[in-house]
Amino acid sequence: MTKPLLLIDVDGPLNPYAAKAERRPEGYTTHRMRPGGWFETKPLRVWLNPGHGTELLALAEAYELVWATTWKGEANEWIGPRLGLPELPFVEWPSMHGAAPHGTFWKTRYILEYARGRPFAWVDDDITPRDHAYVERHHDAAALLRHVDPRIGLLRPDFDALADWAAAL
């Protein structure tokens, strides 16, 4: 049997970018990065919690882990190694940002295209009720859309909910 997908956004769930700049969340370490397309004069500040790598690896028993981030394949270079993750497949967005159907987040339709009818869980800080409704109407398999507060990132209840959902499939 094929495992469900766990589609992972970076900024928000793994990097709580919206936390107060002078107050790094507990358990996180600061990394300075220059991914492709970062043209600012100073490097990008990214906060990562090494414990998230352990949690994601535990979920890999039940899921196929996939990057669903604007970092695309660069998540394998900049994020994964700092969390102790192996190289993961990633969603290659045909187009990033811009208009999306029915007021959904721009990623939503591409997430469904990537899943191709497979069950999936998706963690992102931009998921809204419109995305839930769109997925219900356009995806026949089970789906869990988990909104993550970009000020605090993934928490124990998020990992528990992901594990429980996969176990219930």
Side-chain angles (χ1 to χ4, degrees), residues 102-157:
H102 309 288
T104 59
F105 179 37
W106 67 265
K107 287 182 182 177
T108 305
R109 65 181 160 181
Y110 302 128
I111 292 290
L112 295 186
E113 288 174 15
Y114 188 89
R116 286 185 225 104
R118 283 177 68 181
F120 71 85
W122 175 28
V123 293
D124 202 298
D125 60 306
D126 284 309
I127 295 169
T128 70
R130 288 183 183 214
D131 300 297
H132 285 272
Y134 186 83
V135 170
E136 277 185 34
R137 283 193 312 274
H138 295 93
H139 189 71
D140 292 331
L144 172 66
L145 280 64
R146 185 90 180 165
H147 177 267
V148 177
D149 186 331
R151 296 170 298 170
I152 56 177
L154 286 163
L155 298 171
R156 169 88 268 132

Side-chain angles (χ1 to χ4, degrees), residues 64-86:
E64 178 185 332
L65 305 181
V66 177
W67 294 119
T69 174
T70 56
W71 290 73
K72 300 188 282 186
E74 285 192 287
N76 285 316
E77 176 183 349
W78 295 99
I79 307 301
R82 286 160 179 88
L83 296 178
L85 296 175

Side-chain angles (χ1 to χ4, degrees), residues 22-39:
E22 67 282 352
R23 300 194 62 186
R24 180 179 65 209
E26 187 177 331
Y28 285 80
T29 55
T30 302
H31 303 271
R32 300 291 177 188
M33 301 179 181
R34 283 196 181 276
W38 183 256
F39 300 113

